[in-house]
Amino acid sequence: MIYAGVDSGSWNTKAVVIDGGARVRGTCVVRSGADLAGAAERAYDGALGAAGLGRGEVTAVWATGFGRQSVAFADGSRTELDCHGRGAAHYVPGPLTVVDIGGQDAKVIRIDAAGQRLSHRMNRKCAAGTGSFLDEIALRLGVPIEGLGALASGSAEPLELSSFCTVFAGTELLTLIRGGKRPSDLAMAAYRSLVKRIVAMDVLDGRVVATGGVIAHHPAMVALLGAELRGEIIVPPHPQEMGAFGAALAARDGAAAVGPSAGERAPLAAVEAPRHA
Amino acid sequence: MTTFGSTAALRATMDAYFRDVGAAAEQHLAPVAWCTSVGPAELLRALGFRVFFPENHAAMMGAARTANRYMPLAHAHGYSQEICSYLTSDIGAYLAGESPMQAYGLSGTPRADVLVFNTNQCRDVRDWFEWYGRRWNVPVVGMRSPRAIETVRDDDVDAIARQIEALVPALEAVAGTRLDAGRLEHAVRASRECSDLWEACLRTAARRPAPLNFFDATIHMGPAVVLRGADEAVTYYRTLLAELEGRAAARSAAVEGEAFRLYWDGMPIWGRLRALSSLFAEFRTAVVASTYCNSWIFSALDPADPVRSMARSSLELFIVRSEEAKEDYIARMLDLYHADGIVFHDCRTCPNNTNTRYGMPRRLGERLGIPTLVLDGDVNDLRCVSDEQMRTNVEGFIEQIADARPAAGSAAS
Ligand SMILES: Nc1ncnc2c1ncn2[C@@H]1O[C@H](COP(=O)(O)OP(=O)(O)OP(=O)(O)O)[C@@H](O)[C@H]1O
Ligand code: SF4
Ligand SMILES: [Mg+2]
């Protein structure tokens, strides 16, 4: 049996296709843009294409992410809190703490030894502590976001940005550049600032698993987070697509609850009014 | 939100109240006192004042989503975005020459002859009243309360009782009449009756399914807020209680298919009352009780000892208690109302009604073994509210509760 998940994020839309044994058969990441529904279609078809499968072969597809309501073809949905947790817990036994850093949200999700979610925290209504912070800093430093990591890798002097606020950090950056500071050190300082913000969100205990686009594309974040927490940060396979993978697992487990093989897995509780009746 | 038969009586009661205060202020039919929500309303009524509650006035702007139009005017006058958004909405509206009272045929905010605060809830109410006191050149008097009280002690009660007594001469001078012991006793009796009836109304939500939820209660508490100490409130709550008891007996639910029950701590988000009500209902979740609505229960009031009992009830209130006393209170409420979890509203501009900032959600969650959620928002300032985040937070929280419950999905059918 084939299942799929689509994570309609504020920045990117991700799709993952899995089989009944949770093996990843195909993935796809596209920019979300303004047309969330269209992006979901493209990502879904992209992941199916990578898997060499067609829509007709999919038993169930579930949606997650901030645009989860816009995924018209989804059979069900779960929040990204559930899906990132579910996905991470598939690879890493609990107790664990999942840190997901996306474009607009940062989330800390705590999961117990049995894989049950214990709590979650999301950043306040603010860009600080999210990927948007890095995007803004890259813009100020005149490099594309894809180049920020390479720039930071040349860092020699450990600088700190004193402000969390995206706008103030930008201004501070300009002052530091005028003061002769090197862009590579400033890029690293931006990562350091983001890490400080993340570790303040909640107590990060148990195994710490990091996911999201920021983790996937900025290895410095993983190293700095590990140094800050004095421990290992586990980056699971396909960290950016973890939400979509979790949604695919939810599709499998949710489908199992109503399908003929019910009982095999713990069924998902039916909390939601059916959306596609 | 639930439709109640009593809503017509609620409207009529609130309507008559607003018109009465307005007429008193505009036609000088009676002296008008402004009073904070836990100020000495009974004393003011006994002296013949018409009593106006600016917190209620500000909440109306929040609910109508006009508050954000007014706040910048108050900010410009030096009242920060970081302080009580009730204050900044209300003062801003005054500066704009607008008021929700205009819908009741008044020309604007009813002018006070005296403003009476109680700092047991916050300092903001006093700053708020002093702004008007200066503007109108009228007296601002009040009670200065101890805070963070563990157990209410007699010496604290004595001190507050003396403060209430000390208000009397100034209030008599404005009212132009002497305080009559019989009228004070009557007001305290009516206030206690209102409190008992309101408590009984809220308590019907301990039943499964709950016949009313938090969002309904924030609307129906209007008379308990503005007519405490007056007979009209007692009349209204008799009507409401009869309806709620009927609904509870008939198992008529505020939230269809009620599957989860939550406790709400903190202020309402007035501009999102309806949105939140439907969001929780979508996930078959009833918010069955709240610190906020319970805060108009004054069980210490005693007509045989009016002043001391007023003092005691102002000190027993949740907002003026220590962290430990607050935690014990919430624990009792969770038990009483069979709640599965707690939603804490971190109200950006009201630290006084926010219990998330000194570790309480984590402590209570661990002590009681129940899930807690912190929702960022504000009572009136919608700049502090993110609808998308709120939705994900609430939905994620209910998923968590549902998943922890063994086979809830199959048990439903
Ligand atoms: N190719 C890339 N190179 C560098 N950084 C990238 C790249 N792609 C994404 N990012 C970073 O990842 C962030 C987006 O991550 P992700 O795809 O997890 O976000 P999202 O899920 O759409 O957002 P949210 O979860 O907040 O709704 C961007 O803000 C950017 O900082
Ligand atoms: S308690 Fe909070 S909301 Fe109420 S008046 Fe004081 S600061 Fe404002
Ligand atoms: Mg995301």
Side-chain angles (χ1 to χ4, degrees), chain A residues 66 68-69 78-82 105 116-118 120-125 202-203 269-272, chain B residues 283-284 346 348 362 373-374 376 383 385-386 388-389 391-393 395-396 399-400 402-403 409:
Chain A
F66 121 102
R68 62 191 173 282
Q69 312 287 329
R78 282 253 151 176
T79 63
E80 54 266 48
L81 301 161
D82 178 82
D105 286 331
Q116 287 291 353
R117 183 144 50 95
L118 289 173
H120 70 260
R121 279 297 286 161
M122 288 171 78
N123 61 306
R124 253 187 188 276
K125 185 186 182 183
D202 204 342
V203 178
V271 286
E272 196 178 14
Chain B
F283 297 99
R284 300 192 285 137
D346 187 327
R348 184 60 167 248
R362 182 174 279 266
L373 173 72
V374 176
D376 293 321
R383 290 171 295 194
V385 174
S386 157
E388 280 312 326
Q389 277 201 358
R391 188 176 175 95
T392 300
N393 262 319
E395 193 173 331
E399 284 171 350
Q400 177 189 335
D403 287 350

Side-chain angles (χ1 to χ4, degrees), chain A residues 27-55:
Chain A
T27 71
C28 182
V29 180
V30 303
R31 285 299 297 268
S32 296
D35 177 16
L36 294 180
E41 302 280 352
R42 282 186 287 123
Y44 187 31
D45 288 333
L48 284 169
L53 295 162
R55 288 195 183 199

Side-chain angles (χ1 to χ4, degrees), chain B residues 61-75:
Chain B
M61 299 176 213
R65 289 188 285 278
T66 53
N68 279 101
R69 285 219 298 266
Y70 304 134
M71 285 174 211
L73 291 165
H75 302 330

Side-chain angles (χ1 to χ4, degrees), chain B residues 344 355-366 370 372 374:
Chain B
F344 285 94
N355 293 302
T356 61
R357 301 184 188 175
Y358 298 86
M360 192 191 290
R362 182 174 279 266
R363 277 197 304 278
L364 261 183
E366 280 166 9
I370 53 144
T372 62
V374 176

